[in-house]
Structure formats: structure tokens, C-alpha cells
Amino acid sequence: DNVLNPGLKGTYTFIETVLNEVCELFPGAFVHIGADEVPDNVWSESPSCQAMMKTHGYSSSKELQGHLLRHAENFLSTKGKQMFGWEEAVFGDKVSKDTVIFSWLNEKSGLECIRNGYDVVLQPGQETYLDMAQDFSADEPGTDWACKIPLEKAYHYEPFANSNVTSKEFEQVKGIQCALWCEMTNTQSRFEYMLYPRLLAIAEVCWSAKEQRDWADFQARLNGQLQYLDRLGINYRR
């Protein structure tokens, strides 16, 4: 299934080679390792993986995934880098609590990571994925595997609004990130259409206190922002 094999020595050579080049190219203190969407039982038919599981006493493929990611984390630490990863990085309970988890599955999953001791960046697909359709019309571009995200819904995202998160737990939230995955976005115009104006709404969610946000006020100010986008020749959903 196009996944690196943790039972092969060459896999670790490959990872170190790639990460070493990434560290040389980018001076920042962080490297996002990815690590999401590994298919279940992907290594079940691999003799080398089964041998590794027996050697280390592992009981599931998730522990193999964790083994591989711990190696990546340890290597990055020798380069003075901190590892970031999607929440699947915690599978197998192998990476350290120094790894920052980007939570995309849902907020419940992000909260589980927090309560297991990880700092997180919230990126729930149901709220912050800009490849989701912006309307319920059948001809509206975008996907909807998480949900539809109209502009008003994007503006009203309030992290953990429906969860009993303590103030101490909330301190482990290091920020919010949104994403535009481009499998179905193949032109610059469509790219801009999916971004705007929802990106403006999410920016205000990230950088403004709840009591300072007002939907009607945002709509009024948005008119000026859209005129600015017009002057720049940037497309957006009207």
C-alpha cells in the first residue's frame, strides 16, 4: 500500500538521508514528519516485520509505526529539531511527549492527545479543511467527507466549545492550523476560490478572543476585504 517497511534496514537509511537533507535546507526548529493514514494490517504479510514484532514483543502494526517514528524523532533530535506529526504519530506509544501533535481526525482525538501529555495544534477536518465544499449545492466544488464548511460555520469555530476542557489542558493547545488539500484543485483560480473568504474567517478565529468576534461585524468588514482582493485580482467565492 505504498508505505515504508519498518522491518527493512534500508528504510532507516532512507529516512535519515531524507531528514538530513531537510534539516540542511530548512533552518527552522521544527520538522513535520506526517505519519497519517497508514492502512490497517499493512505489514501483516511482511516476514521482516513479523520478525521485528517478535524480537521486540510488539503485538500490533501500530507499534511498528511507533517504532519507525521514534527512530525519526531520535534522529531529528541529534539535528536540534523538534518533531511534529499527525495524531497517528502517537500510535504504539513510542514517540516522546516532546513531539507536537497536529490533530485532524476530530477534536475528541485532539483532546485524547492532550490528556496523554502531548501539546497539540488543532486542525480538525470538520472545521478547518478548506478543501471541504462551501455550500450544499450539488455543483459546489470541493469534498465533503468531513462536512460542508460554509463561511459562517468557519467563522463560528470555537475550539473545544462542546468539551469539558480545563484551562490547564487548554494551555497545551499551541494554535490552530487550516489546510487546503489539492487533489481536486487544479487551477490557481480554483485554489483561490477555496481559500477565500474562509481563510479570513479562520484567521479571525485564531487571533481574536471570542468576546471580540461578531458575525455581523465581520460581514460588514468583509466587504472592504473583498474589494482589496478584487484589486489584487484574487478569486474568491461570492
Side-chain angles (χ1 to χ4, degrees), residues 179-199:
L180 173 54
W181 308 105
C182 290
E183 294 96 329
M184 300 178 66
T185 302
N186 55 10
T187 67
Q188 180 70 21
S189 178
R190 176 58 54 83
F191 175 76
E192 295 166 356
Y193 179 93
M194 300 305 292
L195 283 177
Y196 295 105
R198 290 185 297 181
L199 186 60

Side-chain angles (χ1 to χ4, degrees), residues 192 196 225-236:
E192 295 166 356
Y196 295 105
Q225 289 295 315
L226 297 183
Q227 292 174 31
Y228 177 67
L229 294 178
D230 285 335
R231 290 198 299 272
L232 294 177
I234 293 175
N235 189 30
Y236 54 88

Side-chain angles (χ1 to χ4, degrees), residues 16-45:
E16 290 183 9
T17 301
V18 171
L19 291 180
N20 186 60
E21 185 168 337
V22 168
C23 292
E24 290 178 355
L25 285 169
F26 300 101
F30 317 109
V31 174
H32 197 305
I33 201 70
D36 61 318
E37 297 188 345
V38 175
D40 288 338
N41 301 314
V42 65
W43 301 301
S44 60
E45 302 300 322

Side-chain angles (χ1 to χ4, degrees), residues 208-235:
S208 303
K210 182 180 180 179
E211 57 272 16
Q212 294 176 318
R213 298 199 299 270
D214 179 86
W215 171 239
D217 182 65
F218 173 78
Q219 288 178 291
R221 289 182 286 110
L222 182 60
N223 289 328
Q225 289 295 315
L226 297 183
Q227 292 174 31
Y228 177 67
L229 294 178
D230 285 335
R231 290 198 299 272
L232 294 177
I234 293 175
N235 189 30

Side-chain angles (χ1 to χ4, degrees), residues 23-230:
C23 292
E24 290 178 355
L25 285 169
F26 300 101
F30 317 109
V31 174
H32 197 305
I33 201 70
D36 61 318
E37 297 188 345
V38 175
D40 288 338
N41 301 314
V42 65
W43 301 301
S44 60
E45 302 300 322
S46 166
S48 60
C49 283
Q50 296 308 305
M52 173 179 276
M53 291 180 67
K54 184 176 181 180
T55 298
H56 292 279
Y58 295 159
S59 59
S60 76
S61 61
K62 287 183 172 58
E63 290 190 272
L64 288 175
Q65 183 175 356
H67 181 101
L68 192 64
L69 292 169
R70 182 177 62 191
H71 181 89
E73 181 186 39
N74 290 341
F75 179 80
L76 287 171
S77 69
T78 68
K79 301 294 182 179
K81 306 288 188 179
Q82 184 179 13
M83 191 168 84
F84 290 178
W86 300 113
E87 60 244 76
E88 291 96 326
V90 307
F91 286 177
D93 195 25
K94 299 289 187 293
V95 302
S96 78
K97 300 302 188 289
D98 292 331
T99 290
V100 176
I101 301 302
F102 284 61
S103 177
W104 70 276
L105 291 170
N106 50 56
E107 281 199 344
K108 179 181 178 183
S109 178
L111 184 55
E112 289 174 358
C113 290
I114 288 172
R115 290 176 173 169
N116 283 324
Y118 294 94
D119 288 342
V120 305
V121 173
L122 294 175
Q123 193 173 349
Q126 299 81 4
E127 309 286 351
T128 66
Y129 271 33
L130 299 184
D131 52 319
M132 297 295 117
Q134 302 178 71
D135 188 74
F136 294 86
S137 171
D139 60 357
E140 181 69 32
T143 63
D144 62 359
W145 62 262
C147 66
K148 312 280 189 179
I149 305 181
L151 177 63
E152 185 172 3
K153 176 178 171 62
Y155 187 80
H156 283 105
Y157 174 44
E158 187 62 36
F160 294 129
N162 300 312
S163 303
N164 57 339
V165 177
T166 67
S167 58
K168 185 173 179 59
E169 288 172 337
F170 200 82
E171 290 175 3
Q172 291 170 245
V173 177
K174 298 306 175 184
I176 302 170
Q177 178 169 282
C178 64
L180 173 54
W181 308 105
C182 290
E183 294 96 329
M184 300 178 66
T185 302
N186 55 10
T187 67
Q188 180 70 21
S189 178
R190 176 58 54 83
F191 175 76
E192 295 166 356
Y193 179 93
M194 300 305 292
L195 283 177
Y196 295 105
R198 290 185 297 181
L199 186 60
L200 306 176
I202 293 177
E204 194 155 308
V205 170
C206 294
W207 296 331
S208 303
K210 182 180 180 179
E211 57 272 16
Q212 294 176 318
R213 298 199 299 270
D214 179 86
W215 171 239
D217 182 65
F218 173 78
Q219 288 178 291
R221 289 182 286 110
L222 182 60
N223 289 328
Q225 289 295 315
L226 297 183
Q227 292 174 31
Y228 177 67
L229 294 178
D230 285 335

